[in-house]
Amino acid sequence: MSCSPNLTRRGFGRLAAGLAATATLPTRGFALTATGRPLHGLSAFGDLKYPPDFPHFDYASPEAPSGGQFNFSVPNWGFNQSPLTFDTLNTFVLRGSAPPRMESLYDTLMASALDEPDAIYGALAQTVTLSDDRNAYVFALRPEATFSTGAPVTPVDVVFTYETFKEKGHPSLQIVLQQLERIEVEAPDRVRLVFSGHQTDQDALAAFAVPIIPKAFFDDQPFESVSTKAIPGSGRFQIKAYDFGRYIEYEKRPDYWAKDMGFARGLDHFDVIRIDFFRDRTTAFEAFKKGNIHFREESVSKTWATEYVFPAVTEGKVIKREFPKEKTPVFQCWALNQRRKRFADPRIRQAINMCFDFKWTNANMFYGLYQHADSCFESSDFKAEGPPSPAELEILEPLRDKLPDAVFGDVWRQPVSDGSGQDRKMLREALRLFSEAGWRQKNGRLVDANGQGFALEYLIDDPGFERVYGKFIQTLRLIGVDASIRLVDGAQYQDRQNRFDFDMIGAAFSLGATPSRNSLTDLFGSATRDRQGANNLVGMADPGVDALIEVVNKASDRRSLTMAMRALDRVLRARLDWIPNIYSQSHRAAFWDRFGFKPDKPDYGWPVESLWWFDAAKAKAIGKA
């Protein structure tokens, strides 16, 4: 299952933000937040945890030493980034593949704390002031804020950034900024963002986390053509060295303007962060075994169960450990591309899902390490259970004529096989569903009324998926589907995903603790069905789902958000546009014992490269100083 952009967990810029200011705390949500006076932070729901003068986030470690190098295999990425290769240093456009963690070069106006589900604090902006109609936000920029070039961050830069991203940026950025009506310089140190009036608090929160880039850099070159030069940023890191397709090193800026401020203090301890690029997992794992890679999250169950037996593990030099997942939905699903008519019938999607014997696969391929996912929102309060509650029915009933009847009964759950790998009962049901949808078996093939065979190509970018899901493909062939697996390189995979040129593809996303219209539309909304580069891989365009996304977006408190998300979950599971696949309740990580870190991780994000630090004594003890 390929990892895909992180939609909200880390926002678009800094790993964490928050800063001292002179304003008092907002009360509950934007609806009750004071207008007309400067505020140091905003929260969609609830009070802010940190006061204006907080010295650092609770999960930060200001006492930790600074220094050392962190070489790691990245577990998540965003925008146009790829963990397999890179051919551009512009991560803000659709074209090309950029290296992960390019966002570490850039600060944002505001960004989230990792121990709060929906709060943001000032970073480049010292304060934010809401207009009386709550459609305009005036940001006072910090006079200390500078780009790596030494130039100050000005309102002109902010205006250029938002206007450029809204017109020419990566689809993820364009979606986030669709409710932003205009942006203008208010004063030499102030900038005003004006929304359409149709935005909600979540829309605004996401828009305030856009990375800021310098206008002057583009005075003699178009934004979309920049590829071999890094766009300067105002963030903690800058690029030290790189070789396209092989490696990139980020070094901590000694002149970073915010290093002693509350939102940055006690984070980002390593002097150098290095990412090496490998086209296959075996080579990457060998690099880890040799100590060339210091940390990796293991996503291959066979490797986790059987291959961590090399000398460094048995000698205690490499630690193998599970860490709890965040308190956010786990989304890991298959996408059947409904832009291709044969996948548009929900009975077809149900039939294909029937051919995946999770019980057999978990026992024989996953070593019992996974659970079968029922929902796009596993491990969260957003997952629906049983029949709809009265609160959910209040949301669903007005939309009854737009929703499947199954939504109003017990929520859909995955079928349970006998674990044989070829459960005859499930295969008969799959054939019945194909037949209802107009496909019949002829000479061992499923064909339509014109004799055209039913084809399904599963697009992958890692040969490990061939081993894991080979049985699934064989079962599809058994009932007459012309099923195959197509392995392509990282660049071709990214390109075909961006252009929706596939039958079936796997995806994993992080939705964040407070899903917004932006993130939900990106995955499920009609507006993104034909937007290349969007994450609506299945090609959804359903008015009932669109209406529910609006209900989610207008939630005024966390309880109403949860009820709306559960209602949406029921509809998604009844339609089965995205086919839930597998999930785990933990991060499976292995690392050389040369690091220090706090025993408890934050609940809403786990950027190891920002939270951990180099422990010289540990490194010396294992011979990896």
Side-chain angles (χ1 to χ4, degrees):
M1 192 68 61
S2 65
C3 187
S4 293
N6 176 342
L7 300 179
T8 59
R9 183 167 65 90
R10 294 176 61 186
F12 292 104
R14 297 295 305 139
L15 302 174
L19 198 54
T22 58
T24 58
L25 279 168
T27 54
R28 293 198 172 272
F30 287 14
L32 297 179
T33 297
T35 61
R37 61 187 177 89
L39 305 169
H40 79 289
L42 296 168
S43 175
F45 309 121
D47 294 337
L48 293 172
K49 176 179 179 179
Y50 295 96
D53 57 350
F54 75 99
H56 59 79
F57 291 118
D58 289 346
Y59 54 81
S61 304
E63 73 287 353
S66 181
Q69 182 164 319
F70 185 67
N71 301 356
F72 78 128
S73 297
V74 292
N76 50 50
W77 51 93
F79 299 129
N80 64 349
Q81 297 170 9
S82 169
L84 301 178
T85 188
F86 70 102
D87 56 17
T88 180
L89 297 176
N90 187 350
T91 193
F92 304 123
V93 293
L94 178 59
R95 187 176 62 186
S97 298
R101 301 304 181 263
M102 282 296 295
E103 67 273 14
S104 66
L105 274 62
Y106 308 98
D107 276 321
T108 59
L109 293 175
M110 306 182 83
S112 60
L114 300 180
D115 54 354
E116 293 180 273
D118 49 45
I120 57 174
Y121 296 87
L124 287 172
Q126 181 167 312
T127 61
V128 57
T129 303
L130 282 68
S131 65
D132 289 341
D133 64 5
R134 304 180 188 276
N135 290 331
Y137 299 78
V138 176
F139 292 91
L141 300 185
R142 296 186 180 279
E144 307 95 329
T146 56
F147 292 108
S148 58
T149 60
V153 179
T154 69
V156 172
D157 297 310
V158 180
V159 170
F160 171 80
T161 297
Y162 277 89
E163 290 181 345
T164 301
F165 287 172
K166 186 174 175 65
E167 179 185 357
K168 303 174 182 177
H170 188 276
S172 297
L173 290 163
Q174 293 180 339
I175 292 167
V176 161
L177 300 179
Q178 60 188 344
Q179 297 301 326
L180 182 63
E181 196 169 79
R182 66 183 186 275
I183 178 168
E184 52 201 21
V185 175
E186 174 90 354
D189 64 342
R190 282 172 166 74
V191 63
R192 176 188 296 267
L193 275 68
V194 182
F195 289 86
S196 65
H198 301 294
Q199 82 286 349
T200 62
D201 299 347
Q202 294 95 317
D203 293 331
L205 292 177
F208 301 156
V210 167
I212 303 302
I213 57 177
K215 179 181 183 299
F217 181 77
F218 298 96
D219 285 347
D220 59 354
Q221 56 192 327
F223 165 75
E224 58 270 36
S225 68
V226 173
S227 61
T228 60
K229 294 187 291 185
I231 301 169
S234 61
R236 172 87 77 170
F237 288 90
Q238 61 190 4
I239 295 177
K240 177 183 179 183
Y242 66 92
D243 186 353
F244 280 117
R246 293 187 60 236
Y247 77 91
I248 188 166
E249 290 183 347
Y250 302 101
E251 64 179 352
K252 191 158 59 175
R253 286 175 51 193
D255 61 343
Y256 179 49
W257 65 275
K259 60 185 177 181
D260 295 320
M261 293 186 175
F263 78 96
R265 187 166 176 257
L267 299 170
D268 299 314
H269 308 285
F270 298 107
D271 283 343
V272 176
I273 294 173
R274 179 182 172 111
I275 301 170
D276 287 280
F277 294 80
F278 303 95
R279 293 188 180 273
D280 66 81
R281 293 182 186 274
T282 301
T283 306
F285 187 56
E286 288 301 316
F288 174 73
K289 289 164 66 174
K290 294 175 182 177
N292 296 330
I293 303 297
H294 304 143
F295 174 94
R296 62 182 271 125
E297 257 194 76
E298 187 55 70
S299 59
V300 177
S301 52
K302 178 178 182 293
T303 302
W304 184 256
T306 67
E307 297 181 32
Y308 283 88
V309 291
F310 51 94
V313 175
T314 58
E315 294 167 6
K317 296 179 179 180
V318 166
I319 307 297
K320 181 184 174 190
R321 176 173 167 180
E322 296 191 13
F323 295 84
K325 281 280 181 74
E326 290 70 57
K327 294 181 178 179
T328 53
V330 175
F331 181 114
Q332 186 155 327
C333 301
W334 280 315
L336 287 167
N337 188 358
Q338 296 175 40
R339 300 168 188 86
R340 299 181 175 179
K341 285 184 62 176
R342 62 189 181 279
F343 302 119
D345 192 316
R347 293 170 295 191
I348 295 297
R349 302 192 292 272
Q350 293 170 25
I352 290 170
N353 184 53
M354 284 280 181
C355 294
F356 175 55
D357 190 331
F358 168 78
K359 194 173 182 180
W360 183 93
T361 305
N362 197 36
N364 292 276
M365 295 293 172
F366 295 150
Y367 296 83
L369 295 174
Y370 286 98
Q371 295 171 270
H372 205 182
D374 294 314
S375 168
C376 296
F377 311 134
E378 284 292 347
S379 301
S380 75
D381 291 338
F382 304 147
K383 180 181 177 180
E385 299 287 353
S389 66
E392 292 169 69
L393 285 173
E394 284 186 22
I395 298 168
L396 295 168
E397 283 291 355
L399 301 171
R400 184 180 277 271
D401 62 338
K402 295 183 175 67
L403 304 177
D405 290 340
V407 168
F408 297 89
D410 281 336
V411 71
W412 177 88
R413 297 184 63 86
Q414 288 281 9
V416 179
S417 74
D418 61 11
S420 66
Q422 291 183 8
D423 187 316
R424 294 181 180 276
K425 181 179 178 182
M426 289 180 65
L427 298 187
R428 284 195 298 269
E429 176 63 11
L431 283 170
R432 185 189 69 78
L433 290 166
F434 268 109
S435 177
E436 281 190 5
W439 298 83
R440 60 189 177 88
Q441 280 190 319
K442 182 179 180 181
N443 299 325
R445 300 171 65 231
L446 280 170
V447 297
D448 62 14
N450 299 317
Q452 182 71 37
F454 191 99
L456 186 153
E457 180 185 86
Y458 180 19
L459 186 68
I460 62 172
D461 63 352
D462 189 313
F465 296 137
E466 291 183 277
R467 180 189 67 86
V468 171
Y469 294 114
K471 181 71 171 178
F472 174 39
I473 298 301
Q474 289 175 10
T475 303
L476 286 166
R477 289 174 181 160
L478 183 66
I479 67 168
V481 175
D482 181 13
S484 62
I485 294 179
R486 173 66 63 88
L487 174 65
V488 298
D489 64 32
Q492 186 178 355
Y493 184 89
Q494 183 82 8
D495 176 63
R496 288 186 62 175
Q497 176 177 296
N498 287 341
R499 293 186 293 108
F500 309 126
D501 181 18
F502 58 85
D503 289 346
M504 175 174 163
I505 201 169
F509 297 94
S510 175
L511 292 177
T514 308
S516 69
R517 172 167 50 196
N518 297 320
S519 60
L520 296 177
T521 299
D522 192 30
L523 286 168
F524 312 123
S526 300
T528 57
R529 183 186 187 277
D530 298 316
R531 187 193 291 263
Q532 290 194 0
N535 290 313
N536 187 350
L537 303 180
V538 299
M540 289 185 66
D542 180 76
V545 171
D546 292 339
L548 284 170
I549 289 173
E550 288 304 311
V551 175
V552 171
N553 203 49
K554 294 176 181 177
S556 59
D557 53 49
R558 186 153 290 278
R559 181 184 179 279
S560 58
L561 174 78
T562 300
M563 293 301 106
M565 285 294 293
R566 287 179 184 173
L568 176 62
D569 184 41
R570 292 181 184 279
V571 176
L572 294 175
R573 289 159 70 175
R575 289 177 51 89
L576 214 63
D577 298 276
W578 291 91
I579 301 176
N581 182 240
I582 60 176
Y583 73 101
S584 172
Q585 297 279 16
S586 63
H587 295 279
R588 299 186 180 99
F591 51 94
W592 286 81
D593 191 16
R594 60 199 300 275
F595 304 115
F597 54 87
K598 286 191 171 183
D600 297 321
K601 58 180 283 296
D603 288 335
Y604 300 103
W606 194 47
V608 172
E609 68 274 22
S610 179
L611 299 174
W612 290 18
W613 59 88
F614 176 68
D615 188 316
K618 285 185 176 182
K620 183 177 181 180
I622 65 170
K624 291 290 183 180

